[in-house]
């Protein structure tokens, strides 16, 4: 599953809810709802940074007046989550028995399936 887009301000860990675009020929900074896709020369901002943005002297700021809300999960996110759950639920491929394998002294192993780790239950 993709991570949510983050605020592009240095050191800010918050989720982006707005997009900043500069219109240089009109000396205007536009802060609107989060764009569907990250584009070059635009900046994703969290709500505090979107609301407190200032522009250079002589520039105008056009700011969205409504609420800034995080984007809903996309179909891609839901499909990726469903695939990850399916992958984790698949039964492990049986291993051939080893001659020197003693179940009393062995420790359970972890396995990897794609980007997930499968940890066997402890009994």
């Amino acid at each position: 599953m993709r991570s949510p887009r983050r605020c592009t301000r240095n050191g800010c860990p918050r989720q982006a809810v707005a997009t900043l675009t500069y219109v240089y020929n009109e000396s205007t900074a536009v802060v609107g709802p989060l764009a569907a896709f990250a584009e070059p020369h635009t900046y994703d901002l969290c709500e505090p940074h979107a609301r407190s943005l200032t522009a250079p002297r002589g520039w105008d700021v056009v700011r969205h007046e409504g609420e800034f809300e995080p984007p809903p999960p996309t179909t891609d996110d839901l499909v990726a989550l469903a695939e990850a759950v399916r992958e984790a639920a698949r039964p492990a491929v049986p291993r051939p028995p080893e001659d020197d394998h003693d179940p009393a002294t062995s420790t359970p192993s972890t396995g990897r399936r794609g980007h997930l780790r499968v940890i066997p239950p402890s009994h």
Side-chain angles (χ1 to χ4, degrees), residues 10-32:
N10 285 338
C12 183
R14 294 186 201 94
Q15 181 178 0
V17 295
T19 298
L20 166 65
T21 307
Y22 290 108
V23 183
Y24 291 98
N25 61 350
E26 295 179 17
S27 300
T28 304
V30 180
V31 180

Side-chain angles (χ1 to χ4, degrees), residues 50-122:
R51 298 239 182 257
S52 65
L53 178 89
T54 59
R57 182 175 293 155
W59 282 55
D60 295 319
V61 176
V62 176
R63 196 181 319 268
H64 173 71
E65 291 297 325
E67 292 295 316
F68 289 113
E69 296 180 15
T74 65
T75 305
D76 292 342
D77 292 338
L78 296 176
V79 170
L81 179 59
E83 289 295 327
V85 169
R86 275 190 214 110
E87 177 77 18
R90 284 191 189 128
V93 178
R95 294 184 199 165
E98 296 176 15
D99 293 335
D100 60 338
H101 181 70
D102 181 6
T105 61
S106 68
T107 58
S109 63
T110 60
R112 289 195 59 84
R113 293 183 181 169
H115 63 283
L116 301 174
R117 269 189 358 178
V118 178
I119 301 173
S122 56

